[in-house]
Amino acid sequence: MIGMVSFGGGYAMLPLFERMVVVEHGWLSPSLFVDMIAIAQITPGPIAINSATFIGFQSAGVLGAAVATVSVVLIPVMLVAVVSHYAERFKESKAVKAILSGLRPALVGLIFSSVVSIAQSSYVDYKSPILFLIVMFLLWKVKLHPILVIVISGVLGFIVYY
Amino acid sequence: MQVRLTTLFFSFLKIGAFTFGGGYAMIPIFEREFVHRYRYLSQEEFNDVLAMVQSLPGVIAINFSVFIGLRLRKMKGALVSMIGVALPSFVIILVIANFFFRYVDHPVVEAVFKGVRISVVALIFTAGYKIFKTNRHLKAVFLAALTFALVFSVNVHPFFVIIGMGAFGYLLHLRNGVNSHGTV
């Protein structure tokens, strides 16, 4: 179900993942969900695949991981197979462009709603906003690689909270 | 030119194993491997595939591998490419998840992840802001705010919001037409 409506790559899937995994089924706690995103980010491979494997493993072991990974790609892959058959027509389709024109702004709203709920579960104490500013500075001004930023924030977390 | 299935498999396996940062990070690597190095696709074909993959739902890297696999070796190619690109993630995550759940309650792990979570917030915020920057028309900002309100305050399931917004885009198009950028 997530695979079917998840336009725009891994980050766009997160609000759906969160709703299903944290809110509806309770497979992961909110803070474990955020940890999972960090792990999906620092390991190689597509974020959605990494997340699906992680969630599947947590809720039903290795078999669960396999089922979750296959099902997140199943419908999109069938769509790709169909579309590549009609590639020329799809490319020019005004209807597809129109639907996407409504989806892109919706994605922005969805991603920001995940940001807020993830921020809530990541907030520990008054030090959290300070760490956030440091991380944003490293990411936007120093333009460090996201993986490096995650590693640095882990070190900061160790220094501040251990 | 017939591409060997094993070549296809190992090309995708390599990309899956060594590309950090998700699907978008893989796109330039796909381009280097398949257009410049092996010349399986022309630049133009590659751009076409990219455009189509981005307008379909799903995991970008997976869709990409299926598309290229299909083009080069039909169904068998698609299957081999897809497994190649997903297998490394699957195995690596299984190993990590196994360790993670064993040590998640350890105070050091807890402290480290208190810091790591902060950068996850920053990274996702940045990803959202990048998409937001591509279209700052009043209507788009309004739709984004509406989506945020529906999901966050009214607690509508994101699934229905996505379907609804797609339908809304289509209806707007029936009324006004879409400009060449495909923006509202």
Side-chain angles (χ1 to χ4, degrees), chain A residues 19-154:
Chain A
R19 172 59 72 112
M20 181 183 85
V21 171
V22 180
V23 180
E24 283 175 2
H25 295 283
W27 287 327
L28 294 177
S29 71
S31 59
L32 271 182
F33 182 75
V34 186
D35 299 347
M36 176 208 77
I37 299 169
I39 291 174
Q41 178 79 50
I42 54 178
T43 48
I47 290 174
I49 298 290
N50 292 346
S51 309
T53 307
F54 193 93
I55 295 165
F57 178 77
Q58 156 69 0
S59 48
V62 176
L63 192 66
V67 169
T69 306
V70 169
S71 52
V72 82
V73 300
L74 191 63
I75 292 174
V77 162
M78 292 193 298
L79 264 180
V80 169
V82 173
V83 165
S84 76
H85 218 81
Y86 302 101
E88 290 309 309
R89 272 174 59 197
F90 183 79
K91 213 168 67 189
E92 302 299 327
S93 166
K94 288 237 167 66
V96 171
K97 280 193 186 128
I99 293 171
L100 287 173
S101 74
L103 285 178
R104 228 167 274 132
L107 275 187
V108 174
L110 278 176
I111 291 178
F112 280 121
S113 76
S114 318
V115 169
V116 175
S117 69
I118 287 171
Q120 283 170 344
S121 53
S122 308
Y123 181 86
V124 185
D125 51 28
Y126 69 94
K127 289 175 211 138
S128 304
I130 300 171
L131 285 179
F132 180 75
L133 289 178
I134 296 172
V135 167
M136 285 302 269
F137 176 77
L138 292 177
L139 205 57
W140 287 43
K141 294 287 171 219
V142 190
K143 293 192 195 308
L144 287 184
H145 193 280
I147 294 171
L148 204 55
V149 172
I150 292 182
V151 172
I152 292 174
S153 69

Side-chain angles (χ1 to χ4, degrees), chain B residues 23-39:
Chain B
Y24 281 111
M26 290 187 176
I27 292 168
I29 318 284
F30 283 139
E31 189 177 342
R32 200 183 61 204
E33 283 278 301
F34 295 105
V35 180
H36 301 300
R37 187 158 168 219
Y38 293 111
R39 297 175 198 281

Side-chain angles (χ1 to χ4, degrees), chain B residues 3-182:
Chain B
V3 183
R4 286 172 57 196
L5 285 173
T6 47
T7 314
L8 211 52
F9 177 75
F10 284 111
S11 295
F12 277 104
L13 190 76
K14 200 173 75 188
I15 296 173
F18 294 110
T19 315
F20 292 87
Y24 281 111
M26 290 187 176
I27 292 168
I29 318 284
F30 283 139
E31 189 177 342
R32 200 183 61 204
E33 283 278 301
F34 295 105
V35 180
H36 301 300
R37 187 158 168 219
Y38 293 111
R39 297 175 198 281
Y40 293 153
L41 298 167
S42 70
Q43 187 69 47
E44 201 176 322
E45 279 176 300
F46 181 84
N47 295 346
D48 280 355
V49 172
L50 182 60
M52 279 183 275
V53 165
Q54 285 179 327
S55 47
L56 285 170
V59 188
I60 290 181
I62 297 286
N63 289 357
F64 219 104
S65 64
V66 172
F67 232 115
I68 292 178
L70 268 178
R71 214 165 249 216
L72 299 175
R73 289 295 307 269
K74 305 268 183 273
M75 276 314 206
K76 262 191 230 159
L79 199 67
V80 160
S81 310
M82 186 175 72
I83 295 174
V85 84
L87 194 64
S89 307
F90 184 74
V91 174
I92 292 168
I93 291 289
L94 276 188
V95 172
I96 290 182
N98 210 345
F99 278 104
F100 179 75
F101 287 114
R102 213 172 293 170
Y103 296 110
V104 70
D105 294 324
H106 192 284
V108 173
V109 177
E110 247 171 46
V112 167
F113 271 92
K114 273 180 190 161
V116 165
R117 284 177 204 142
I118 304 287
S119 61
V120 173
V121 177
L123 284 173
I124 298 173
F125 177 80
T126 306
Y129 183 73
K130 275 188 188 149
I131 306 177
F132 172 71
K133 245 185 6 191
T134 59
N135 183 4
R136 275 188 281 202
H137 295 285
L138 199 61
K139 261 189 231 164
V141 175
F142 173 73
L143 286 181
L146 181 68
T147 306
F148 181 85
L150 284 175
V151 174
F152 200 72
S153 312
V154 193
N155 217 9
V156 179
H157 197 294
F159 180 82
F160 298 110
V161 178
I162 292 173
I163 301 277
M165 287 297 174
F168 188 68
Y170 186 68
L171 290 175
L172 268 184
H173 152 74
L174 288 184
R175 266 190 49 211
N176 310 330
V178 177
N179 65 31
S180 54
H181 303 296

